[in-house]
Amino acid sequence: MRNEMNLQFSALSQNESFARVTVASFIAQLDPTMDELTEIKTVVSEAVTNAIIHGYENDPNGIVYISVTLEDEVIHMTIRDEGIGIFDIEEARQPLYTTKPELERSGMGFTIMENFMDEITVDSTATSGTTVKLTKHLSKSKALCN
Ligand SMILES: Nc1ncnc2c1ncn2[C@@H]1O[C@H](COP(=O)(O)OP(=O)(O)O)[C@@H](O)[C@H]1O
Ligand SMILES: [Mg+2]
């Protein structure tokens, strides 16, 4: 069965936990393990934080867009901003690369996303902003027990 939700909210840091919890509660219907849920929440935090602090440079007029589609045990998430874009995507995805070295977990956001998800694609232009697409397959053995 296919099930989809869309969310959009102001680029304010206090909305990071709102986004994380909302996505997690939507995904809960697939009965993920605690580890899977923690990984998904961490990935949402990283991508939303990037949209707010890098894409919109903390301009609260910016809007962050999240779309989540569930297809059986596969989760597709799109996290998008219409901010400044990424100049060199390949460079930005390197571990420890950051344009804001003062931040916590500096330069590890994309690496964390890659490690916790099965697929990640990043599209970005200076005119239209950044779209991060993430796919995760939940463990099948557990789904068979349901
Ligand atoms: N949504 C975005 N818009 C613009 N630039 C981004 C975005 N996401 C990431 N970046 C760029 O990619 C770099 C690496 O991101 P990341 O791995 O999350 O590390 P960090 O956020 O700690 O800098 C950022 O420093 C920033 O330059
Ligand atoms: Mg980051």
Side-chain angles (χ1 to χ4, degrees):
M1 191 185 70
R2 193 175 183 281
N3 190 3
E4 180 180 339
M5 76 93 161
N6 289 285
L7 191 66
Q8 64 181 71
F9 52 88
S10 301
L12 290 163
S13 62
Q14 59 264 45
N15 286 337
E16 285 165 23
S17 65
F18 162 72
R20 187 170 61 222
V21 169
T22 305
V23 172
S25 66
F26 183 64
I27 284 166
Q29 63 191 282
L30 296 183
D31 200 15
T33 64
M34 286 308 286
D35 282 350
E36 287 167 338
L37 207 52
T38 301
E39 288 168 2
I40 287 157
K41 284 160 89 174
T42 303
V43 163
V44 171
S45 281
E46 293 293 337
V48 168
T49 304
N50 280 355
I52 294 171
I53 63 171
H54 299 302
Y56 292 122
E57 298 184 300
N58 289 305
D59 175 359
N61 295 314
I63 303 286
V64 182
Y65 302 86
I66 300 183
S67 161
V68 183
T69 303
L70 311 179
E71 275 185 280
D72 299 325
E73 79 290 343
V74 184
I75 300 165
H76 299 280
M77 296 195 289
T78 302
I79 297 165
R80 182 171 70 83
D81 65 68
E82 294 171 340
I84 59 166
I86 302 173
F87 179 68
D88 182 338
I89 297 172
E90 208 181 316
E91 182 180 47
R93 287 178 62 163
Q94 296 298 314
L96 299 175
Y97 176 84
T98 183
T99 48
K100 289 195 176 15
E102 66 280 9
L103 299 179
E104 203 188 326
R105 273 202 295 224
S106 233
M108 293 305 286
F110 280 126
T111 305
I112 289 166
M113 290 184 233
E114 279 169 26
N115 286 344
F116 284 168
M117 303 299 283
D118 295 313
E119 286 162 46
I120 166 170
T121 62
V122 183
D123 289 302
S124 191
T125 66
T127 45
S128 57
T130 300
T131 301
V132 180
K133 289 188 177 166
L134 302 144
T135 303
K136 187 173 181 70
H137 300 246
L138 297 183
S139 51
K140 281 200 182 93
S141 51
K142 180 182 49 56
L144 288 174
C145 299
N146 290 335

